[in-house]
Amino acid sequence: MSHGEEKEAQAAIRKDPAEKQAVILKIIKDNPGIHHNELIRKIVQKSLMAKRTAEKTMESLLSLKVVDVHHSSNKKYYSLPSNFDKLDPQVIERGMNIWFTLVETEIKRLETDYKKNPPEGKTSMTIFILNAIFFALNGFALLTAFSNSEKNIYQEKEVAFKKNIKKIFDIILDDPDYQIVYPIVRDALIHTNLRIDYKSMQ
């Protein structure tokens, strides 16, 4: 990798939380049992991210329980779980059920509070809920793919999510601010969910 390519990769890491997490997991994988301070030192020395960013990213990984922690004399040592490469559909399913409840709650709030908000509030509310729906639909697609069955056991929930998408756009279009809100929401969804990095494909 050239110096320019390395700088470009580092800039991407600084912008993308998922890549920051991947960087830390790679270091832990290559250095099982690594001490917390040594991990942060490696990240900072390679200019992958600032110390505070590395600390926050590590906290995020610990909250997701994808890193094993061993405590010794008030010190923390990290390693990857032995079953790290195994898919646990039950964990994903629990997460999707949480998203389902979240979306249902937010839809009810949207129905009662949407018209009370200024255009920017309407925009942020709808984009948040729609992105949550697309995230959940992706999760159910993943579960279906690993269910080893031709029958989609999550079809009922997927249909409910898709009906909510229609409901959200009905709310947007049945509002005096639709000419402001609709194009922003539409473009935000296109850029978030249909983004393709053509350069990386070359």
Side-chain angles (χ1 to χ4, degrees), residues 8-173:
E8 186 175 334
Q10 291 171 355
I13 289 169
R14 283 193 289 272
K15 293 178 182 177
D16 192 329
E19 289 195 39
K20 292 172 188 173
Q21 292 177 344
V23 165
I24 291 180
L25 290 175
K26 177 68 165 60
I27 293 174
I28 295 173
K29 181 176 183 290
D30 293 341
N31 303 272
I34 188 170
H35 178 249
H36 176 85
N37 291 343
E38 176 64 12
L39 171 66
I40 301 301
R41 185 184 65 79
K42 284 180 178 291
I43 295 168
V44 173
Q45 277 188 345
K46 293 180 180 181
S47 302
L48 296 174
M49 60 191 98
K51 180 180 179 181
R52 180 57 190 148
T53 303
E55 297 274 7
K56 289 179 69 175
T57 305
M58 192 64 226
E59 289 171 9
S60 175
L61 287 171
L62 291 173
S63 71
L64 293 171
K65 298 182 180 180
V66 295
V67 176
D68 280 345
V69 186
H70 171 67
H71 295 271
S72 178
S73 301
N74 295 324
K75 294 182 179 180
K76 290 186 289 188
Y77 299 87
Y78 303 126
S79 59
L80 299 186
S82 58
N83 64 344
F84 186 75
D85 59 340
K86 295 179 181 177
L87 177 71
D88 188 345
Q90 289 184 338
V91 173
I92 300 174
E93 186 170 21
R94 285 198 298 270
M96 291 306 99
N97 286 332
I98 291 170
W99 277 102
F100 186 83
T101 303
L102 169 69
V103 169
E104 290 295 303
T105 301
E106 290 298 315
I107 288 288
K108 290 176 182 176
R109 187 170 72 89
L110 191 71
E111 290 177 310
T112 58
D113 296 349
Y114 184 82
K115 291 185 180 296
K116 302 175 186 177
N117 282 273
E120 59 271 23
K122 294 172 180 176
T123 301
S124 61
M125 288 173 71
T126 49
I127 290 175
F128 171 78
I129 301 172
L130 286 165
N131 279 328
I133 290 174
F134 287 121
F135 179 87
L137 287 172
N138 287 336
F140 284 124
L142 179 64
L143 284 169
T144 301
F146 284 94
S147 65
N148 295 321
S149 170
E150 294 183 4
K151 182 180 178 181
N152 182 2
I153 61 176
Y154 305 102
Q155 185 174 6
E156 186 177 334
K157 286 187 176 179
E158 288 181 357
V159 170
F161 274 120
K162 291 171 183 176
K163 286 181 177 178
N164 280 329
I165 294 174
K166 175 65 165 57
K167 184 183 293 185
I168 289 168
F169 278 100
D170 285 344
I171 291 172
I172 292 173
L173 295 173

